[in-house]
Amino acid sequence: MQSLRDSLKVLFAEVCDRLKFLAESDGRTGSVLSAYAKVRITRKKIFKQKVSKMTDVDSDEEQLEMEEFPDGDEELFEQSYIPNYGTIPGEQEHLPTELVEFDGNEDSIFFADGQRRIDFVLVYEEERRKPGDKKRMRSILSRKRKRAFFQENLMKEGIQIEATKSVMDHSLIFLKLHAPWDLLCRYAELLHIKLPLHSNDIKQKPSTFNCITKIFSVDEDKIPPEPEYFTAPFEMDRIKSFQIDDHDSFFSPATRSRICKFNQQSSDPLCPNERYLLYEEWAHPKNFYKLQPLDLIRKYFGEKIGIYFAWLGFYTGMLAIAGFVGLVCFIFGILTLDYNTWSQEVCDPEIGGRMIMCPQCDRDCSYWRLNITCESSRKLSVFDNYGTLAYAVFMGIWVTVFLEFWKRRQATLEYEWDTVELEQEEPRRPEYEAKCTIPKKNPITQEEELVPYSACGKCMRLVCGGSTVLFWISLIIASVVAIIVYRLAAFLNFSAKLPTAIDDNLEPLKDYLTPQMATSVTASLINFLFIMILNILYERVAIWITDFELPRTQTDYENSLTVKMFLFQFVNYYSSCFYIAFFKGKIVGYPGEPVYWLGRFRNEECDPGGCLVELSTQLLIIMGGKAIWNNVQEVLIPWLKNLIGRCRAKSEEKLPRWEQDYRLQSISKLGLFYEYLEMVIQFGFATIFVASFPLAPLLALINNIIEIRVDGWKMTTQFRRILAAKAQDIGAWLPILHGVAVFAAVTNALIIAFTSDMIPRLVYYWALSVQPFGAHNSSTMQGYINTTLSVFSIADFTSLSKPKNTPPWFDRENATTCRYRDLRYPPGHPLQYYHSLYFWHIMAAKLAFIIIMEHVVFTVSFLVSYCIPDVPKHIKEQIKRERYLTQKLLHESQLTDWHNKMAETAKNIMKGPVSMKSADMDV
């Protein structure tokens, strides 16, 4: 059903259109309802009218107002409320707003009469006046008149108002608004609100999984399932055709009241408090395993919040499948740990212990044995195995299945929540309206209207905004370069000092605390701090840029901000991961001729097993740190603010529910935007780099199970009720998810090809280990480590790179060569230190693998998307049935009424002459 908030929005728009009101917000008063307006009127006319209507009852403030405002002056007014200080010119005078005392019932959501339900709450603060300060008095009186004009127009449209003073602070006035039945029906017809027309008589086949899903469903005795109806746009003339069982329950709470934000939990079971029911059966941590009561969430918070939790729940459910398969892949890696020949060769004292590795930095680094990387190679084998290859292909298909089935789920919700044909023209933003000064001809209406900027001005705004975004993205890249320089300098320092710094007490950690690991962990932590700081700064910049661009509607505003924030967050969160995956250790040269950064720092190398472990460490730190940071921001800070507020305003008196809500924290207009952004960034972590860290979907699943309940808890207990709104889908986030899905398929193929050692091992196993290239008669992994490590002559070291010190075990006389990670010809070869033929074979295999994997994933994804229709068959049938019933019950009934009128008129004509009325001929 269409929301009452939308009805009231049109109501306010109609009023403001008559008075040339312009909505704006007033942050000073802290109003629960940010529905303010301003109007320009000629003070001369108002002054004359006020003088003619002045009575003995008028206050001294009114008299002072007449003296303070000169004849003919013009004022710019903001809406609020005061007792009746006069009426609008040409309109009838209304009675003053009723001011009632709080009756002590802290759980009441009705007017003092106990009959009329509160649908809206406005709050304003009476300003304290200083004697003799005429300038301040003038401002106060101006605000009073503004409130009077706004109140008069609300009452004129039929809104019933009741005022109550705050129990704790008498300067606060709460205005309780009630929309009567006639008003709701009038705007239901005006806005084409879909309402129940006929019970759904299409029988649904029971699902075979009902016995399983019943375990995870909410208690139907407390939250009964919503009855299914066929709906149609409401028409007052055919009100009898609609199924109206009860006037009070015909409109849902979200429809009747989009801003009646009663967040506190009610202890009265007889009080119709859907919020408390949502807390007990949904937001409470005890319900973590239960499905969400989406119909009740939508009924109370509105479709926009409902569609978010529907998407989050569906995404979490699909993550359960991906997380389970990833866990199986991880267990497979652990079980096959002792069967990895290449890992055993690294740890074998006779193989890895005899291989002398070249120094990884100039001068300060020394020679080292390969077997000191035994633990890191064993960790690598847990993630870098054949199971990970299969899992990467699976995730490429899983992403497509997730998005296609979400489209089906979204189509179902669109039908069930009556948003299939959302006939709602979104109003222009108040900030946009306020700056409309340039006339322009509307190509649709062919009428002249005001716009805030010309075509050239709009272009300039977009160019400035785009340039600012590019500048901040460049700033992120600069921070990544700074992290890289730190890694190079830190590795040099750790390589020189860490071996000597480990004493006997830290001897058990010697195998784990390597220079590579120390550099990776510290760089990841510093990079995470950079990410958080840049996020905080850029968030303000992105909002400023979007405000400067001045989008026309709220949807345009959010879409523009979405693109900016996602681009920035994408580069900010993923840039360091891309460096480790595709750049680190790829362009390092060889020991005799290394590659330097900035002409000073030698480019860092990966471990002999590759950079996959370091990439997994980076992902784990960023994902974990981001989840902790977000929970602190979303939960801990609001909870502490509310706690401090309760301690400061501690009172033994009972507070009404509207005042309890006023003391809570308010959610910004972009609160839901940040929730989507958080989940989409997490979706990228769970899909783009899954080939390096198969446990990412499982960690995302655990986080989301907590996230759903945390979001529900804060919305029901810590924040004022969010402004409800209609929403047909998840908006611009769906194409972003599609883009991430395509990008993830390509990235995972590149990670397997260039970051892991999967392809070199496969090439060695199937081709180079057997004759004529190898010495074995059958395919084997034996000798893989020796084949993939190139040989370098110690005599070829330059004076800049030759190590100053050598370890005690190093034999200077007999040790003439060292090994390094690359595929180059050995010294003495005609092409010494050039890439060998083996390198080019592997490069060709990597490119072939990327092409094959991408085509397999994209082909299967295309077939899946083609075979899965976006709209389920039973929904198509119900839509057709609904249209048929609408045609039959509404439109054909109109023809029947006309036919009956014509028959009665013909009968009267046959009896004698009659006068025809135009109403008789109406169709």
Side-chain angles (χ1 to χ4, degrees):
M1 287 186 291
Q2 182 71 28
S3 66
L4 178 60
R5 179 257 181 182
D6 299 327
S7 304
L8 291 176
K9 182 188 292 184
V10 171
L11 186 155
F12 294 153
E14 183 178 326
V15 173
C16 296
D17 182 68
R18 294 183 183 181
L19 293 176
K20 300 186 180 351
F21 270 61
L22 186 59
E24 71 174 14
S25 61
D26 185 354
R28 182 189 61 78
T29 59
S31 298
V32 173
L33 176 64
S34 296
Y36 292 83
K38 51 187 177 181
V39 58
R40 284 195 178 274
I41 62 172
T42 306
R43 300 292 300 173
K44 183 175 181 179
K45 296 180 180 179
I46 298 302
F47 180 82
K48 291 180 179 179
Q49 184 187 18
K50 288 288 295 183
V51 170
S52 64
K53 291 190 176 184
M54 286 286 290
T55 64
D56 296 336
V57 214
D58 292 320
S59 65
D60 294 337
E61 290 180 355
E62 287 182 296
Q63 185 63 42
L64 177 59
E65 181 183 6
M66 297 301 103
E67 297 173 359
E68 285 296 319
F69 291 107
D71 188 8
D73 188 20
E74 287 190 356
E75 285 297 321
L76 187 63
F77 286 118
E78 296 177 356
Q79 164 273 330
S80 190
Y81 158 81
I82 58 169
N84 187 32
Y85 272 81
T87 58
I88 302 170
E91 302 290 346
Q92 295 181 352
E93 184 173 358
H94 294 284
L95 294 176
T97 298
E98 183 181 4
L99 183 63
V100 299
E101 296 293 332
F102 174 51
D103 58 4
N105 185 2
E106 59 182 345
D107 289 322
S108 175
I109 57 173
F110 296 94
F111 277 21
D113 56 14
Q115 300 296 324
R116 293 172 292 175
R117 177 168 181 152
I118 302 172
D119 295 325
F120 252 72
V121 176
L122 297 94
V123 185
Y124 77 89
E125 182 179 2
E126 289 185 334
E127 296 178 296
R128 297 179 179 178
R129 300 176 292 276
K130 295 181 179 180
D133 190 349
K134 290 188 176 183
K135 185 176 180 180
R136 180 173 177 81
M137 179 68 74
R138 179 186 177 93
S139 175
I140 293 173
L141 293 177
S142 174
R143 290 181 180 276
K144 284 188 176 183
R145 179 168 290 277
K146 300 165 195 177
R147 293 196 290 264
F149 275 107
F150 187 72
Q151 174 196 350
E152 286 291 335
N153 284 277
L154 291 181
M155 297 173 68
K156 171 183 171 295
E157 290 295 329
I159 297 291
Q160 299 173 7
I161 305 177
E162 183 180 84
T164 302
K165 286 189 176 182
S166 170
V167 175
M168 298 180 60
D169 185 359
H170 293 295
S171 63
L172 287 178
I173 306 295
F174 292 89
L175 298 182
K176 296 166 285 182
L177 277 61
H178 170 75
W181 172 256
D182 293 340
L183 181 71
L184 295 174
C185 293
R186 175 157 39 108
Y187 280 94
E189 183 175 17
L190 179 66
L191 298 175
H192 306 284
I193 298 175
K194 285 190 171 184
L195 295 174
L197 181 67
H198 190 278
S199 299
N200 191 338
D201 52 7
I202 297 181
K203 294 184 178 180
Q204 301 258 343
K205 293 182 180 180
S207 174
T208 55
F209 300 100
N210 280 346
C211 56
I212 299 176
T213 57
K214 190 174 182 180
I215 302 174
F216 303 99
S217 300
V218 296
D219 190 352
E220 293 187 358
D221 294 333
K222 296 181 179 179
I223 304 180
E226 289 289 322
E228 296 184 3
Y229 292 102
F230 294 119
T231 60
F234 184 77
E235 296 181 23
M236 194 65 183
D237 295 339
R238 294 166 181 79
I239 191 172
K240 294 182 179 179
S241 300
F242 292 87
Q243 292 199 351
I244 305 176
D245 299 328
D246 181 14
H247 286 190
D248 294 333
S249 60
F250 189 57
F251 294 95
S252 66
T255 305
R256 292 188 59 91
S257 172
R258 292 295 184 179
I259 206 156
C260 183
K261 307 170 185 175
F262 298 137
N263 292 316
Q264 294 296 327
Q265 306 164 14
S266 170
S267 58
D268 185 2
L270 300 178
C271 183
N273 189 352
E274 291 85 359
R275 181 176 292 274
Y276 178 71
L277 190 60
L278 283 172
Y279 171 77
E280 281 293 321
E281 299 298 322
W282 170 55
H284 199 282
K286 67 181 180 182
N287 304 310
F288 74 94
Y289 65 94
K290 290 185 178 180
L291 299 175
Q292 301 183 86
L294 293 177
D295 287 328
L296 185 59
I297 296 172
R298 169 252 179 175
K299 182 180 178 182
Y300 189 71
F301 287 109
E303 286 77 8
K304 195 169 186 178
I305 300 296
I307 199 72
Y308 163 72
F309 280 106
W311 175 80
L312 182 57
F314 186 84
Y315 170 48
T316 303
M318 292 295 292
L319 277 177
I321 301 174
F324 174 77
V325 178
L327 182 62
V328 171
C329 177
F330 178 74
I331 294 174
F332 172 79
I334 294 177
L335 295 178
T336 58
L337 183 62
D338 295 330
Y339 300 96
N340 283 326
T341 306
W342 60 272
S343 178
Q344 293 176 355
E345 288 184 350
V346 172
C347 299
D348 191 346
E350 298 299 322
I351 301 177
R354 292 181 179 273
M355 288 187 178
I356 301 175
M357 304 298 296
C358 298
Q360 292 186 313
C361 65
D362 295 335
R363 304 293 290 170
D364 293 325
C365 295
S366 184
Y367 302 101
W368 51 285
R369 289 193 176 104
L370 180 62
N371 63 345
I372 68 171
T373 63
C374 176
E375 290 299 326
S376 63
S377 66
R378 288 175 61 85
K379 294 176 186 176
L380 177 65
S381 64
V382 175
F383 298 109
D384 192 6
N385 52 60
Y386 300 127
T388 304
L389 173 61
Y391 187 55
V393 176
F394 167 81
M395 285 300 295
I397 301 172
W398 173 88
V399 172
T400 302
V401 173
F402 160 63
L403 293 175
E404 292 302 320
F405 274 98
W406 165 246
K407 290 179 184 178
R408 290 172 59 86
R409 177 60 175 157
Q410 185 173 263
T412 302
L413 293 175
E414 286 178 9
Y415 171 75
E416 293 178 352
W417 293 355
D418 298 322
T419 59
V420 176
E421 299 174 355
L422 189 59
E423 299 181 8
Q424 176 183 340
E425 183 179 354
E426 190 173 5
R428 299 191 292 184
R429 296 172 62 241
E431 295 83 356
Y432 181 91
E433 290 272 13
K435 297 185 179 181
C436 289
T437 56
I438 302 175
K440 180 182 178 182
K441 187 176 182 180
N442 191 318
I444 299 175
T445 62
Q446 295 297 313
E447 295 179 358
E448 195 173 76
E449 62 180 16
L450 296 178
V451 295
Y453 39 68
S454 62
C456 181
K458 183 177 181 179
C459 182
M460 289 298 298
R461 289 170 183 266
L462 293 177
V463 169
C464 291
S467 302
T468 307
V469 172
L470 291 177
F471 168 77
W472 277 85
I473 291 178
S474 303
L475 190 62
I476 298 173
I477 297 175
S479 70
V480 174
V481 173
I483 294 294
I484 294 173
V485 172
Y486 164 79
R487 299 173 73 100
L488 300 176
F491 178 76
L492 179 65
N493 192 41
F494 283 133
S495 299
K497 299 180 179 179
L498 190 61
T500 58
I502 298 178
D503 54 15
D504 296 337
N505 296 327
L506 298 177
E507 187 65 27
L509 301 176
K510 187 175 182 179
D511 294 337
Y512 302 94
L513 197 58
T514 61
Q516 292 89 348
M517 181 58 66
T519 303
S520 175
V521 172
T522 55
S524 298
L525 291 174
I526 295 174
N527 183 59
F528 175 73
L529 291 177
F530 271 43
I531 288 174
M532 292 296 105
I533 294 172
L534 289 174
N535 271 349
I536 295 173
L537 296 177
Y538 182 76
E539 179 182 326
R540 300 175 183 272
V541 174
I543 293 176
W544 177 81
I545 295 172
T546 310
D547 290 339
F548 176 73
E549 291 176 355
L550 208 62
R552 184 174 182 271
T553 64
Q554 185 64 25
T555 299
D556 295 338
Y557 183 91
E558 292 183 1
N559 289 342
S560 178
L561 185 62
T562 296
V563 174
K564 294 181 183 65
M565 287 296 294
F566 179 75
L567 285 176
F568 178 84
Q569 299 254 18
F570 185 90
V571 178
N572 196 21
Y573 278 108
Y574 302 146
S575 55
S576 59
C577 297
F578 274 100
Y579 164 73
I580 296 173
F582 303 121
F583 296 99
K584 182 183 176 182
K586 302 300 185 293
I587 309 175
V588 295
Y590 58 94
E593 192 176 338
V595 177
Y596 291 90
W597 268 74
L598 306 177
R600 177 182 177 185
F601 299 102
R602 179 173 169 176
N603 205 348
E604 60 180 335
E605 302 177 22
C606 296
D607 283 337
C611 292
L612 210 62
V613 172
E614 187 173 349
L615 179 58
S616 302
T617 304
Q618 180 84 357
L619 286 171
L620 184 61
I621 290 176
I622 294 179
M623 283 189 69
K626 180 175 177 292
I628 295 172
W629 177 264
N630 287 334
N631 285 328
V632 168
Q633 277 189 316
E634 296 177 8
V635 179
L636 185 60
I637 294 178
W639 179 79
L640 288 175
K641 287 183 178 179
N642 286 328
L643 181 63
I644 295 172
R646 286 194 296 268
C647 293
R648 287 180 177 178
K650 195 171 183 180
S651 174
E652 297 180 357
E653 300 182 27
K654 291 184 178 181
L655 298 180
R657 292 176 62 185
W658 51 83
E659 188 164 350
Q660 295 175 17
D661 170 74
Y662 181 73
R663 305 294 175 184
L664 296 178
Q665 301 300 308
S666 61
I667 292 184
S668 68
K669 294 180 181 179
L670 299 175
L672 198 61
F673 166 81
Y674 292 118
E675 299 292 344
Y676 273 116
L677 181 61
E678 176 188 352
M679 289 296 102
V680 171
I681 294 297
Q682 182 213 78
F683 178 79
F685 278 119
T687 56
I688 294 178
F689 302 101
V690 73
S692 63
F693 191 50
L695 292 179
L698 181 62
L699 296 180
L701 171 65
I702 297 173
N703 176 79
N704 286 7
I705 292 175
I706 300 173
E707 180 76 18
I708 290 175
R709 308 305 162 179
V710 165
D711 286 347
W713 173 79
K714 71 182 182 184
M715 286 186 182
T716 54
T717 62
Q718 302 302 309
F719 289 96
R720 300 171 187 170
R721 187 175 177 183
I722 298 177
L723 176 64
K726 279 280 189 179
Q728 205 169 11
D729 47 39
I730 62 175
W733 297 108
L734 187 59
I736 289 177
L737 291 174
H738 274 289
V740 172
V742 174
F743 194 77
V746 177
T747 304
N748 283 312
L750 292 174
I751 287 176
I752 293 176
F754 293 105
T755 307
S756 76
D757 276 351
M758 183 70 62
I759 304 303
R761 288 199 295 268
L762 288 175
V763 172
Y764 178 82
Y765 181 81
W766 293 107
L768 300 181
S769 64
V770 295
Q771 297 178 352
F773 301 101
H776 302 280
N777 295 325
S778 61
S779 298
T780 180
M781 287 300 297
Q782 294 181 2
Y784 170 75
I785 294 297
N786 184 59
T787 304
T788 54
L789 293 179
S790 299
V791 180
F792 179 77
S793 175
I794 295 177
D796 293 334
F797 271 119
T798 63
S799 58
L800 294 177
S801 58
K802 188 175 183 179
K804 294 185 296 184
N805 302 314
T806 57
W809 49 264
F810 184 77
D811 188 353
R812 294 181 178 226
E813 296 180 358
N814 298 323
T816 58
T817 61
C818 61
R819 311 296 290 268
Y820 61 100
R821 178 183 168 83
D822 208 340
L823 298 172
R824 296 176 181 268
Y825 287 115
H829 193 278
L831 299 175
Q832 67 175 4
Y833 304 138
Y834 282 92
H835 285 117
S836 65
L837 186 63
Y838 183 23
F839 171 85
W840 298 111
H841 285 169
I842 291 179
M843 183 61 66
K846 288 180 177 181
L847 297 177
F849 170 80
I850 293 172
I851 295 173
I852 293 173
M853 180 175 173
E854 287 182 357
H855 280 69
V856 168
V857 171
F858 290 147
T859 301
V860 175
S861 300
F862 171 77
L863 293 176
V864 168
S865 60
Y866 179 79
C867 296
I868 300 177
D870 292 344
V871 182
K873 182 180 178 181
H874 70 279
I875 295 297
K876 293 181 180 179
E877 294 174 350
Q878 292 184 28
I879 292 175
K880 292 178 181 179
R881 174 68 175 167
E882 183 176 274
R883 291 175 179 172
Y884 168 77
L885 289 174
T886 303
Q887 180 75 20
K888 180 179 179 181
L889 297 178
L890 295 182
H891 301 294
E892 291 185 4
S893 64
Q894 187 177 12
L895 295 176
T896 303
D897 294 341
W898 179 81
H899 180 272
N900 293 336
K901 285 184 179 181
M902 293 301 296
E904 183 179 355
T905 303
K907 188 182 295 184
N908 293 334
I909 292 175
M910 295 297 294
K911 292 180 180 180
V914 295
S915 60
M916 297 291 292
K917 297 180 180 179
S918 60
D920 296 332
M921 300 302 294
D922 289 341
V923 177

